Amino acid sequence: MKRCFIRGLMALAGALLLCGCGKGHWEDVEKITGYKGKARLNPFLAAERLLNELGHDAHAAKSLGKLPSHDAAIFISGEGGLPEGRAKQLLRWAYSGGHLIYFLDGTRPYNDFDTQFGAYISALLLDEQKDPVLEQLGVGVQKRFPEEEIKDLLQKSAGNQDDESEEDDEEEKSTEDESKLESEEEVAWNGKTYHLSLGGYQNMILKRKLQPGEFSAGSKNESLALHLRHGMGSVTLLAHARPFRNHWIGEDDHARWLSALVGENGSKEVLFVAATTGSFFGLLWQHGWMAVVTLVLCLGFWLWQQMPRFGPLADVELDSTRHFASHIGALGEFFWRMRRVTLLVNSARDAVWERVRERHRSLDDCSRQMNDQLAEEISRRSGLPVKRVSAAFDVSPPNSAHNFVNLMRDLQTIRRAL
């Protein structure tokens, strides 16, 4: 009965609450978080699938351990720093007939639907670094950041969004600012014109004249895309990878331009490389597997000899009794193996000084330093030369076994003579 009464009160309270509330309404809010799954990790997933549908063999590679054939195309970035050796290797490959598409920025995974204010500020403060690919092609770079546009972006990011009308205004301003930062160019290539939306935080400067078959998006002194002939192949330089990213590949003529760059005739292998170099162990196995196998075999043989479990078991002598002298010899061998020669020599010298203190108090001055009178007396008793007696107490402990044995022999002879 008590439980039923409590349930009835709860139901009555809920009914009163619903009756006292005004009319409510639902509001749908759309928040774009970007792609998920493979598209979130691979910004060129849409470009790969597009090229595969066109008959090419396009796939992503985490590293570039082995270069493909010279009729292929490689999409690679210098965003993380390209080693000079790898840059020379890629340009030699392009010189022999390959097509290298090289991005200066924009290949890392991030949300394409969000304005990257942090990226703008980081690029503004970042010091210019040498790029081995651009240096060998004779291309320079300069930062591309108009002050007015940056101020507008900073004001927008710090502005207050109090009501819906202000939020709509801010979104419109964001769209306008973002469209300002995008550079829309018409690029003529192979007799065709492409309407492209390029981006990036730096312009490229070509230090020579454009040759037949080459193009520049904009002036060659403020270019966002360059297509240069390089030997029997070609190199395409882009300030930013925006046209080929998942969110932008379907806009303007980006997809058509991608197909034209790769080649519309025939089937080619296309690599989208995420890293510029392979792993250390992968390169070591690829170029030095014989040395690796030899090293592993030598290491296994050494372990078989040194490890007790991999070698023959030593016989355990349970009934044998070791003499005291054998223990002393084992201790001396241990200290010699541990490079404690100083301990052994000092112990032998202390034994001599104790014998002098016990039996020849008249010769002991308590300084434990060899003097001429004591050296002559020891030389007379032991038969050793005076210089040899003095050297037994003055020389530093030797490292060679031969000198160590001679020194210890002299100290033992001196002790017995006293």
Side-chain angles (χ1 to χ4, degrees):
M1 293 294 293
K2 185 176 181 180
R3 291 183 178 179
C4 294
F5 179 73
I6 293 174
R7 291 178 181 176
L9 289 177
M10 292 177 63
L12 180 61
L16 292 175
L17 180 63
L18 292 176
C19 293
C21 295
K23 295 183 179 180
H25 67 279
W26 291 94
E27 182 180 356
D28 294 333
V29 178
E30 182 180 358
K31 184 177 180 181
I32 300 177
T33 59
Y35 294 103
K36 296 182 180 180
K38 294 182 179 180
R40 185 180 184 88
L41 300 177
N42 183 7
F44 303 105
L45 180 62
E48 293 177 17
R49 293 181 176 178
L50 172 64
L51 294 176
N52 286 326
E53 291 181 0
L54 295 176
H56 300 287
D57 180 16
H59 56 277
K62 294 183 179 180
S63 61
L64 191 60
K66 184 179 179 181
L67 293 174
S69 58
H70 294 95
D71 60 344
I74 297 177
F75 289 77
I76 197 169
S77 171
E79 194 171 3
L82 190 68
E84 186 174 356
R86 175 62 78 180
K88 292 181 179 179
Q89 186 181 20
L90 288 171
L91 290 177
R92 284 197 300 267
W93 173 82
Y95 192 88
S96 301
H99 187 186
L100 178 65
I101 296 93
Y102 188 73
F103 304 109
L104 303 186
D105 199 2
T107 58
R108 295 176 180 174
Y110 60 83
N111 187 0
D112 284 332
F113 298 92
D114 188 16
T115 304
Q116 302 295 316
F117 298 104
Y120 294 136
I121 298 174
S122 299
L124 178 64
L125 301 178
L126 183 65
D127 295 334
E128 295 183 2
Q129 299 179 355
K130 293 183 178 180
D131 192 304
V133 173
L134 300 182
E135 287 184 353
Q136 297 184 43
L137 293 175
V139 178
V141 293
Q142 63 181 2
K143 291 183 179 179
R144 175 180 165 267
F145 278 94
E147 296 182 0
E148 296 181 358
E149 297 177 7
I150 296 300
K151 290 180 180 179
D152 293 339
L153 287 174
L154 294 177
Q155 291 176 359
K156 178 215 171 277
S157 62
N160 296 324
Q161 298 180 354
D162 297 333
D163 51 20
E164 294 182 359
S165 60
E166 291 181 358
E167 289 180 358
D168 294 338
D169 294 339
E170 292 292 338
E171 290 178 359
E172 293 177 358
K173 291 181 180 179
S174 173
T175 305
E176 293 176 359
D177 291 338
E178 191 171 349
S179 62
K180 288 180 181 179
L181 288 177
E182 299 171 11
S183 295
E184 297 183 357
E185 298 285 348
E186 288 188 357
V187 177
W189 188 69
N190 279 353
K192 297 181 180 179
T193 301
Y194 300 91
H195 185 262
L196 306 176
S197 177
L198 303 173
Y201 315 130
Q202 50 191 348
N203 291 324
M204 291 177 288
I205 304 172
L206 183 62
K207 301 177 182 179
R208 59 174 177 82
K209 295 182 178 180
L210 288 172
Q211 300 177 0
E214 298 181 343
F215 72 80
S216 171
S219 171
K220 71 181 186 68
N221 295 325
E222 295 181 353
S223 177
L224 293 177
L226 282 172
H227 182 79
L228 306 177
R229 304 297 304 174
H230 189 64
M232 294 182 291
S234 58
V235 178
T236 303
L237 305 174
L238 280 83
H240 199 275
R242 175 185 296 170
F244 302 143
R245 291 180 66 92
N246 293 330
H247 178 57
W248 305 93
I249 188 68
E251 298 186 3
D252 297 329
D253 295 333
H254 298 165
R256 194 163 64 94
W257 188 43
L258 173 64
S259 175
L261 284 178
V262 174
E264 299 178 352
N265 299 323
S267 176
K268 291 185 178 181
E269 182 180 5
V270 183
L271 288 179
F272 289 84
V273 184
T276 56
T277 57
S279 63
F280 170 77
F281 293 103
L283 294 175
L284 185 63
W285 179 256
Q286 181 180 359
H287 299 286
W289 64 270
M290 291 186 289
V292 174
V293 172
T294 305
L295 180 62
V296 170
L297 292 177
C298 292
L299 181 61
F301 180 74
W302 179 81
L303 289 175
W304 180 81
Q305 279 194 326
Q306 298 296 326
M307 298 293 289
R309 284 291 184 181
F310 294 97
L313 296 176
D315 297 333
V316 181
E317 298 179 1
L318 299 177
D319 299 334
S320 62
T321 302
R322 301 183 67 180
H323 297 282
F324 180 73
S326 63
H327 288 283
I328 299 299
L331 286 174
E333 183 181 359
F334 171 76
F335 285 121
W336 173 262
R337 191 167 60 250
M338 297 299 294
R339 301 184 183 276
R340 302 296 297 274
V341 183
T342 304
L343 177 64
L344 297 175
V345 174
N346 291 339
S347 299
R349 289 173 177 173
D350 291 341
V352 174
W353 291 118
E354 290 295 329
R355 183 62 62 89
V356 171
R357 186 180 62 83
E358 292 175 358
R359 299 185 180 182
H360 304 280
R361 290 183 177 272
S362 60
L363 301 176
D364 185 19
D365 58 356
C366 297
S367 64
R368 288 183 177 256
Q369 298 292 331
M370 183 59 62
N371 52 50
D372 296 340
Q373 182 182 0
L374 182 58
E376 292 178 357
E377 181 64 22
I378 293 175
S379 175
R380 186 182 65 81
R381 288 175 176 271
S382 63
L384 297 175
V386 177
K387 292 184 178 181
R388 192 168 174 180
V389 172
S390 300
F393 293 90
D394 296 336
V395 298
S396 59
N399 293 325
S400 64
H402 176 71
N403 295 334
F404 174 74
V405 171
N406 291 335
L407 177 60
M408 296 298 291
R409 185 185 293 115
D410 291 346
L411 291 173
Q412 291 176 359
T413 301
I414 293 171
R415 184 177 181 278
R416 285 195 298 266
L418 296 175

